[in-house]
């Protein structure tokens, strides 16, 4: 088995690494710095770190004020609280004014594991996606996490970046350069396309490679930028294959299944299937076991591809 | 532009009250009550206390005013227009489609507006962020933030109150427009956010109480704020909702209602006497 990386640790380390290059960066957390790993930044740059206490609404609105004075605030908490506790503050005080605030949330969805449903935001992408001016990045491995942690500092405007709690394998080569707004094609030349987001991309690649061994070629497109989504690449692959499985560790309503379905139905109606969470709360348990209970597995992806293939 | 004389400040405030009434009458919607209770304080801030430049609304060292009770936008727009942040004719377009003057302040649309407000409870957190930025950058601007007494029922106000004291934001001055009314009636009967002074003192703030329509007291309070070190200041301004228009004074019903032609004429008539 290949090495596992903690994406939130990569996030914290990257913040430290880029801090001198971007003196405008300040970091805010809401009493979860040890978990979100912003603590790494806090230790090195105590004067640029603000623990706002357990007050997420106050935190994001304070960040907007800092941004209005030229700071680049990175704001971290669990995905549940960073998007749920203060959705309206993010909408009205950050996004409406296009303030340059980077919300980087960790512990998204089922990856939380044992803490259970109260802490598992499986709808965070949906609620951020409906906010005008918001940009959304969902890295899938350590390389993309490292890249986008810095990249969003260079691009003016509000961002939501979603990270898991659990660790995951590397997908991209070490110094890979990504383009914001462009999805990454990981496997090509097949009759079915898998569109995947976040932790599901690693699982999707494994499914694709297993299928390939059995003579079934599958495309894999990693949806790194959820907003503004790369319509061109999505339409290109729908045209190539006409069939797609959308995989997300997220609620089907409002997630990338919904987003890609809309693009498909308006541009190139295709046969779509979804590997996602279907109108359910999460629950406690080892995260891998939860992925299996909710069907976020290699086997389920393969099953869906096969059904499409044989359709 | 700046006014030093108390009588002139008072006359200016009454002139701006007329603008407020005209805007709301013209739009046939808007919030007269909380605009009229706030305008004396805002007049003192913009015409006497704050360092700012309408020609250079983004001047980095400007003092900032954040209207957390964003529904009092007519008061803010009247001041900004009179100061030359945008042409006075724009006031006619208040609340109209494609206007730069939205029902509630919009940062991207209106020069001089520092924060998009309207959803109550958020402006003070924003103001703390602006004040912290000044501390980080060692700039010496001050941040003024006006909140409503009804707005103080929002939990986020108290989150921000903790934050302001925690960071010793002595460059932050909050003005509480204590007019006793919110939409559904008297704040004491609804949620009872009082006592204010004791609460803010215990949160670690410097607290002053003034008559929010007495220009000498308003000016003195802001001067005192500038001399307080190590903690943020709260000015509890005792005000009258609808101040200056007899039939609007202390009437919750005039919180968010436009006057008809007759009411507008009477209001302007009453206000003119003080201009
Ligand atoms: C979060 C939120 N809830 C409700 C409203 C609707 N609203 C607008 S003004 C107001 C009453 C405000 O009362 P107060 O803060 O005392 O303002 P003032 O008396 O100065 O007008 C309410 C409830 C709002 N704008 N924002
Ligand atoms: Mg009131």
């Amino acid at each position: 088995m290949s090495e596992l990386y903690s994406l939130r640790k990569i996030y914290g380390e990257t913040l430290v690494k880029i801090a001198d290059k971007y003196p405008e960066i300040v970091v805010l957390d809401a009493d979860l710095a040890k978990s979100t790993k912003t603590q790494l930044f806090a230790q090195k740059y105590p004067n640029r770190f603000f623990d706002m206490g357990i007050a997420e609404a106050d935190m994001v609105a304070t960040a907007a004020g800092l941004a209005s004075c030229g700071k680049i605030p990175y704001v971290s908490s669990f995905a549940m609280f960073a998007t749920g506790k203060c959705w309206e503050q993010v909408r009205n005080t950050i996004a409406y004014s296009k303030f340059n605030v980077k919300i980087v949330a960790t512990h998204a969805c089922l990856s939380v594991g044992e803490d259970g449903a109260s802490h598992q935001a499986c709808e965070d992408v949906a609620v951020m996606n409906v906010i005008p001016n918001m940009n959304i990045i969902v890295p899938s491995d350590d390389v993309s996490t490292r890249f986008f942690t810095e990249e969003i500092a260079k691009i003016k405007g509000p961002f939501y970046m979603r990270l898991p709690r659990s660790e995951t394998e590397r997908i991209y080569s070490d110094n890979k350069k990504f383009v914001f707004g462009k999805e990454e094609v990981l496997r090509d030349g097949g009759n079915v396309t898998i569109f995947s987001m976040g932790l599901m991309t690693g699982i999707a690649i494994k499914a694709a490679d297993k299928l390939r061994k059995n003579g079934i070629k599958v495309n894999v497109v990693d949806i790194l930028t959820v907003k503004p989504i790369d319509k061109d690449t999505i339409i290109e692959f729908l045209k190539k294959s006409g069939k797609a499985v959308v995989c997300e560790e997220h609620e089907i309503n409002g997630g990338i299944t919904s987003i890609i379905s809309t693009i498909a139905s308006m541009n190139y109606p295709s046969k779509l299937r979804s590997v996602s969470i279907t109108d359910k709360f999460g629950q406690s348990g080892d995260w891998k076991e939860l992925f299996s209970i909710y069907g976020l597995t290699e086997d389920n992806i393969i099953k869906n591809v096969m059904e499409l293939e044989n359709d | 532009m700046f006014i030093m004389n108390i009588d002139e400040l008072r006359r200016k405030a009454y002139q701006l009250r007329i603008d407020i009434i005209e805007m709301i009458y013209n739009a046939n919607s808007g919030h007269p009550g909380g605009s009229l209770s706030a305008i004396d304080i805002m007049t003192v801030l913009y015409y006497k206390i704050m360092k700012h430049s309408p020609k250079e609304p983004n001047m980095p060292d400007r003092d900032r005013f954040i209207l957390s009770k964003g529904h009092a936008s007519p008061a803010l727009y009247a001041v900004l227009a009179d100061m030359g942040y945008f042409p006075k004719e724009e006031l006619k377009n208040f609340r109209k489609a494609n206007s730069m003057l939205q029902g509630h302040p919009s940062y991207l649309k209106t020069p001089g507006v520092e924060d998009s407000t309207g959803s109550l409870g958020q402006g003070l957190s924003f103001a703390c962020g602006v004040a912290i930025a000044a501390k980080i950058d060692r700039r010496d601007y001050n941040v003024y933030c006006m909140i409503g007494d009804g707005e103080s029922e929002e939990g986020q106000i108290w989150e921000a109150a903790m934050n302001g004291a925690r960071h010793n934001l002595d460059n932050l001055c909050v003005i509480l427009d204590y007019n006793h009314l919110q939409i559904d009636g008297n704040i004491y009967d609804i949620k009872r956010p009082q006592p204010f002074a004791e609460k803010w003192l215990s949160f670690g703030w410097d607290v002053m109480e003034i008559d929010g329509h007495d220009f000498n007291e308003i000016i003195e309070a802001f001067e005192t704020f500038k001399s307080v070190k190590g903690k943020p200041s709260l000015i509890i301004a005792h005000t009258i909702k609808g101040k200056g228009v007899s039939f609007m004074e202390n009437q919750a019903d005039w919180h968010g209602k436009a006057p008809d032609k007759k009411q507008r004429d009477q209001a302007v008539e009453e206000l003119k006497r003080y201009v």
Side-chain angles (χ1 to χ4, degrees), chain B residues 64-220:
Chain B
R64 271 81 162 169
F65 175 71
I66 287 137
L67 183 63
S68 192
K69 41 166 272 186
H71 57 278
S73 56
L76 180 61
Y77 297 157
V79 170
L80 292 177
D82 187 62
M83 290 234 128
Y85 278 88
F86 50 81
K88 212 157 180 173
E89 298 82 73
E90 284 293 338
L91 297 182
K92 291 198 198 78
N93 300 323
F94 173 55
R95 285 183 171 248
K96 302 257 166 78
N98 291 324
S99 164
M100 69 151 68
L101 301 182
Q102 296 294 297
H104 296 84
S106 171
Y107 172 77
L108 292 177
K109 293 205 159 125
T110 315
V113 166
E114 301 281 357
D115 178 21
S116 303
T117 51
S119 173
L120 294 166
Q122 303 180 29
L124 181 51
S125 300
F126 183 94
C128 285
V130 175
I132 291 171
K135 296 282 183 195
I136 297 173
D137 293 339
R138 297 180 197 287
R139 291 186 184 277
D140 71 350
Y141 61 79
N142 288 319
V143 185
Y144 300 90
C145 176
M146 181 179 278
I147 62 173
D149 50 1
E151 183 184 13
S152 304
E153 295 160 7
E154 283 281 358
Q156 192 181 342
I157 291 290
W158 303 99
E159 297 179 7
M162 280 183 260
N163 195 39
R166 159 65 184 83
H167 292 286
N168 311 313
L169 299 178
D170 51 15
N171 54 351
L172 172 63
C173 179
V174 172
I175 307 100
L176 171 65
D177 188 352
Y178 192 6
N179 59 26
H180 294 268
L181 295 176
Q182 57 191 104
I183 296 180
D184 286 346
N186 194 302
I187 60 169
Y188 186 84
D189 301 328
I190 292 169
K191 185 81 167 174
R192 204 165 299 175
Q194 299 105 323
F196 287 119
E198 288 85 341
K199 280 196 180 75
W200 286 89
L201 275 170
S202 71
F203 273 71
W205 288 56
D206 189 77
V207 174
M208 289 172 261
E209 294 213 40
I210 62 164
D211 174 343
H213 303 301
D214 180 315
F215 285 80
N216 283 307
E217 288 191 29
I218 299 170
I219 293 166
E220 203 182 301

Side-chain angles (χ1 to χ4, degrees), chain A residues 255-267:
Chain A
I256 61 167
T257 306
S258 300
I259 297 167
I260 291 172
S261 298
T262 305
I263 294 171
S265 64
M266 293 173 95
N267 296 279

Side-chain angles (χ1 to χ4, degrees), chain A residues 178-241:
Chain A
F178 300 86
V179 179
F180 167 60
K182 187 109 190 66
E183 316 305 350
E184 281 297 324
V185 178
L186 288 162
R187 299 286 185 275
D188 207 344
N191 309 323
V192 180
T193 299
I194 300 176
F195 295 109
S196 60
M197 177 180 88
L199 290 180
M200 291 311 291
T201 297
I203 298 170
I205 291 170
K206 286 190 181 150
D209 291 348
K210 217 182 237 176
L211 284 160
R212 195 166 287 233
K213 269 191 204 132
N214 292 312
I216 299 162
K217 280 195 175 172
V218 182
N219 312 314
V220 178
V221 178
D222 189 8
I223 307 294
L224 290 166
T225 303
V226 174
K227 193 177 186 194
I229 201 157
D230 176 4
K231 265 193 201 166
D232 293 347
T233 300
I234 289 167
I235 293 167
E236 179 196 329
F237 274 82
L238 290 174
K239 283 186 177 162
K240 269 189 191 177
S241 54

